[in-house]
Amino acid sequence: MSIENKVFSGDTLKVGYRFQRHWDNSMAYAFFCAELGAGLYFVSMLLGSMIGMIAGLVVVSTGKPYFHLAHMGVPGKSWRAMLRPDRSWISRGLWALAGMVAFSVLYLLCLAFGEQFGIRPDSALLWVLQILSGAFTLAVMVYQGFAMSHSSAIAIWSSAIMPMASLLYSLVVGVAVVRVLLPAPQAAALTGSLELLLLGLAVMHLMLLHSGWHGSPGARTSIELLLQTLYAKWFWGAVVAAGIVLPALLLWFAPSSAAVTVIVAVGILAGFMAWRILIFKIGVYEPIMSMNPFRSANT
Amino acid sequence: MARMGMVFDLKACIGCNACVVACKQENSLPDGVFFTKTLSEEYGVFPLAKRVYIPTICNHCEDAPCEKVCPSGATHTREDGIVMVDDDKCIGCNSCAVACPYDQRTQMDAEKFLKGLYGTGEITPFEEQGYGRYTPGTVTKCDFCSQRVDVGLDPACVVTCPTNARIFGDLDDPQSAPSKMIRERHGRQPLPEKNTKPKVYYVN
């Protein structure tokens, strides 16, 4: 069954698939900023890159709240989103973001000015702050995937692949961007890690396509939208070619240079941005029910 | 305690949309906002072509996914099973909207109130008195006309339906009209595979 035979009701009063339209591009940009910023901070922290940590923290603490508030219907009450961490991933995410920003700022301040106040680089306080900021950053890297997979309404999102995708993309963009910020020898040392992460990304995409295609009617419809409609050129062109294949080829075959490092990072960022937008656009609600006796499960 | 629910008789529904109009009137809904819709489906070919009508509404699920994901606690279930949204607590994040498998949530954009029912920007006195109950930006849905249920009345759509295609009552009471109908005519819930346990049933 191809996509042409499916009924998309849109805003009409017909029985059919309806597009997810509640989370728009603002949310995609917010997710992008969170995963980019948290990934960059996390990788930079592991590698000891102060400039990377600051850049990551700035992206996550400005871009994410800005786009979330732009999306929100009542931004003045956004603090209320912290009230239900017992059941809502949005709530948990907000706590994780607050924890990440608070402990990361403290950690960076102690790193930069600690010695003036008697905090040595090997002190227990720095170690505790590093662990705490790292833990909260990891939570920010992954929680958006859980927020999506928690919902059974959008079948393609309702999968364990979503948190995995969040974590993987976060690490990939983190490593790709930190390579631009690090001196050449250190950046070159990360080539193998980035190649491995890109391989992981390719496997993750294959898993999503496979599980969606063989999953529920809604998930299959989303994959058909991704592969058979105008979204296909963005998926193959931006997500796969620019975001995975081109960087991988450059890493394997091109001689190491600053230009190549930048092109790899830009390609990966473009692929990631396209992926974040596409995954919201291909989300569909399944038809509530059908009385058509000729309708198969996949239509 | 009661467990309020609704049954749709698909054989009786004629797709007149009187329920939709009654709902919009009762709840003063702005242009483009519907708490209930009557969907239609056509199949077969002439002379055996058929059109069926499938009314939809918030299913007031027992295991409501919208309630689980709400980060502010705005969505909650009353003791009688009606799933409500507290306007004062809603932040308009739309997480309930993406969590509802039935796509029954609508955001009350400020523009919707400014446009007016006729899209001309002119607000009628009827709209003026009704719009005050909503906070622009919040996400709303059907609440089974809780203001009517509280005083012992049926929801506006049920009262208006000329063919008795909508039956409302206590699903915990085996003698109630909806319970009997579900039992006798093998009522089925929409998208049962989503495990939300809707309190809205369809019979045919």
Side-chain angles (χ1 to χ4, degrees):
Chain A
M1 179 60 61
S2 74
I3 198 78
E4 289 88 19
N5 300 93
K6 298 209 167 177
V7 180
F8 287 92
S9 54
D11 284 338
T12 68
L13 298 174
K14 298 276 181 195
V15 171
Y17 290 92
R18 280 149 297 132
F19 286 100
Q20 183 287 120
R21 62 209 175 281
H22 304 288
W23 280 3
D24 54 11
N25 283 351
S26 287
M27 284 295 274
Y29 302 147
F31 278 37
F32 175 85
C33 288
E35 283 159 12
L36 166 63
L40 180 56
Y41 178 86
F42 190 76
V43 175
S44 302
M45 191 179 72
L46 294 180
L47 298 171
S49 165
M50 181 68 109
I51 183 80
M53 282 193 278
I54 293 170
L57 194 57
V58 168
V59 171
V60 89
S61 59
T62 56
K64 183 175 169 65
Y66 173 78
F67 288 114
H68 272 314
L69 291 174
H71 160 83
M72 215 168 274
V74 194
K77 289 185 196 164
S78 52
W79 61 271
R80 296 198 71 98
M82 295 187 102
L83 295 180
R84 298 309 301 254
D86 55 322
R87 62 181 189 187
S88 163
W89 275 104
I90 304 282
S91 225
R92 289 169 196 156
L94 194 52
W95 278 105
L97 182 67
M100 180 196 162
V101 172
F103 288 113
S104 302
V105 167
L106 277 178
Y107 178 60
L108 285 171
L109 285 175
C110 286
L111 267 186
F113 309 109
E115 289 200 47
Q116 294 173 22
F117 301 98
I119 302 169
R120 288 175 27 198
D122 59 348
S123 72
L125 176 67
L126 261 184
W127 183 78
V128 168
L129 284 176
Q130 187 180 22
I131 295 285
L132 283 172
S133 76
F136 279 111
T137 305
L138 257 178
V140 173
M141 288 162 74
V142 80
Y143 92 88
Q144 298 176 149
F146 281 113
M148 292 173 79
S149 67
H150 194 55
S151 149
S152 65
I154 315 287
I156 193 67
W157 296 0
S158 181
S159 147
I161 296 173
M162 286 298 123
M164 201 174 89
S166 285
L167 184 64
L168 254 178
Y169 259 120
S170 214
L171 288 172
V172 169
V173 290
V175 172
V177 175
V178 90
R179 284 175 82 245
V180 178
L181 303 173
L182 288 173
Q186 268 184 284
L190 288 172
T191 304
S193 313
L194 191 54
E195 285 170 356
L196 256 181
L197 285 168
L198 285 173
L199 183 67
L201 213 53
V203 171
M204 183 275 294
H205 280 295
L206 281 174
M207 282 167 63
L208 185 76
L209 293 178
H210 182 269
S211 65
W213 190 263
H214 297 286
S216 68
R220 186 175 172 127
T221 304
S222 293
I223 298 300
E224 286 171 348
L225 281 169
L226 191 64
L227 301 180
Q228 296 173 8
T229 65
L230 60 96
Y231 299 137
K233 65 181 175 196
W234 289 101
F235 177 67
W236 293 116
V239 179
V240 177
I244 300 174
V245 177
L246 177 73
L249 290 176
L250 286 174
L251 288 171
W252 281 325
F253 300 115
S256 177
S257 73
V260 168
T261 308
V262 170
I263 293 170
V264 166
V266 169
I268 288 173
L269 283 173
F272 178 39
M273 172 65 91
W275 161 253
R276 267 279 153 246
I277 293 174
L278 282 174
I279 197 69
F280 283 165
K281 293 222 181 275
I282 63 170
V284 290
Y285 298 98
E286 290 169 19
I288 188 165
M289 67 166 51
S290 173
M291 302 308 292
N292 182 350
F294 309 112
R295 196 169 191 162
S296 75
N298 264 333
T299 55
Chain B
M1 196 63 206
R3 193 168 62 99
M4 306 314 284
M6 198 179 280
V7 179
F8 292 128
D9 185 349
L10 297 181
K11 267 194 173 161
C13 181
I14 55 171
C16 67
N17 279 306
C19 49
V20 177
V21 175
C23 172
K24 285 187 78 82
Q25 280 190 332
E26 174 68 30
N27 295 295
S28 297
L29 297 178
D31 188 34
V33 179
F34 299 91
F35 286 172
T36 183
K37 287 180 183 174
T38 307
L39 305 182
S40 68
E41 186 178 37
E42 288 150 24
Y43 59 87
V45 287
F46 179 81
L48 297 172
K50 275 209 159 199
R51 176 184 285 170
V52 288
Y53 295 100
I54 302 176
T56 63
I57 198 170
C58 169
N59 292 289
H60 296 271
C61 307
E62 269 173 60
D63 203 357
C66 55
E67 186 177 353
K68 274 195 248 172
V69 300
C70 179
S72 65
T75 302
H76 60 281
T77 306
R78 296 198 332 182
E79 279 193 355
D80 60 2
I82 298 179
V83 179
M84 304 284 290
V85 182
D86 186 338
D87 244 24
D88 289 336
K89 292 181 180 172
C90 179
I91 60 172
C93 68
N94 270 302
S95 46
C96 52
V98 292
C100 172
Y102 313 101
D103 195 14
Q104 288 296 326
R105 293 271 183 158
T106 311
Q107 188 162 31
M108 293 292 203
D109 296 328
E111 304 92 73
K112 282 177 179 155
F113 295 104
L114 299 174
K115 255 185 0 184
L117 274 177
Y118 303 104
T120 57
E122 189 188 341
I123 307 295
T124 63
F126 169 74
E127 290 170 88
E128 212 173 310
Q129 60 78 33
Y131 286 174
R133 74 179 80 170
Y134 299 107
T135 308
T138 55
V139 181
T140 57
K141 65 168 195 71
C142 155
D143 62 357
F144 276 159
C145 291
S146 58
Q147 71 280 10
R148 293 174 60 89
V149 174
D150 286 344
V151 293
L153 298 171
D154 279 347
C157 57
V158 175
V159 175
T160 306
C161 182
T163 61
N164 280 337
R166 290 172 180 242
I167 298 100
F168 179 76
D170 180 6
L171 299 182
D172 272 351
D173 175 5
Q175 297 309 314
S176 72
S179 293
K180 277 185 188 169
M181 197 168 234
I182 292 165
R183 209 168 43 242
E184 288 162 10
R185 293 178 59 189
H186 310 290
R188 59 173 169 148
Q189 295 158 304
L191 297 176
E193 67 274 20
K194 301 289 183 188
N195 293 322
T196 58
K197 300 178 195 150
K199 289 196 282 286
V200 169
Y201 287 74
Y202 290 82
V203 296
N204 196 12

